[in-house]
Amino acid sequence: MGEGVIDHIRGDIDGRVRITGSVDNPNFDGLLTLDNAGIAVPYLNVDYSFAPRSRVVLANQTFNFEQIALQDVAKGTKANLDGTITHSYLIIGYWIWM
């Protein structure tokens, strides 16, 4: 997921997630809170840090990012992340590595 599109995924995750369904196509339900988090987008040559205590809601096969405040690490400009990532056949090993 995101290989070549996002890089330098970092941060601390806290929360509760219930994983159901088949191993090769799981459903996730829960809430994650992110601290010291951020990602880089090499194509845009930008590195974003997330606001403390940012929340990601997981519902079935969707990760919902709801108005997460971002800041460009180098320039200090700010934005909000409001959107979803939907998966099918998510590779679990990637998330364990993260």
Side-chain angles (χ1 to χ4, degrees):
M1 179 177 130
E3 190 172 335
V5 178
I6 56 175
D7 194 1
H8 195 57
I9 301 168
R10 61 195 181 276
D12 302 316
I13 299 173
D14 184 33
R16 296 185 77 131
V17 177
R18 183 172 174 226
I19 303 171
T20 59
S22 64
V23 173
D24 64 343
N25 194 25
N27 290 315
F28 299 95
D29 291 292
L31 174 66
L32 299 176
T33 303
L34 310 175
D35 276 314
N36 305 310
I39 60 170
V41 183
Y43 179 77
L44 300 175
N45 194 30
V46 68
D47 186 11
Y48 292 112
S49 63
F50 291 19
R53 308 296 297 160
S54 294
R55 295 169 30 133
V56 180
V57 178
L58 293 91
N60 295 317
Q61 295 183 336
T62 303
F63 297 74
N64 297 303
F65 299 88
E66 299 176 346
Q67 293 297 321
I68 294 176
L70 302 176
Q71 183 166 354
D72 181 323
V73 173
K75 304 283 185 181
T77 55
K78 297 180 181 182
N80 285 320
L81 172 62
D82 187 32
T84 60
I85 296 174
T86 301
H87 74 86
S88 289
Y89 301 97
L90 178 69
I91 300 170
I92 299 297
Y94 179 82
W95 288 98
I96 291 170
W97 169 81
M98 192 175 81

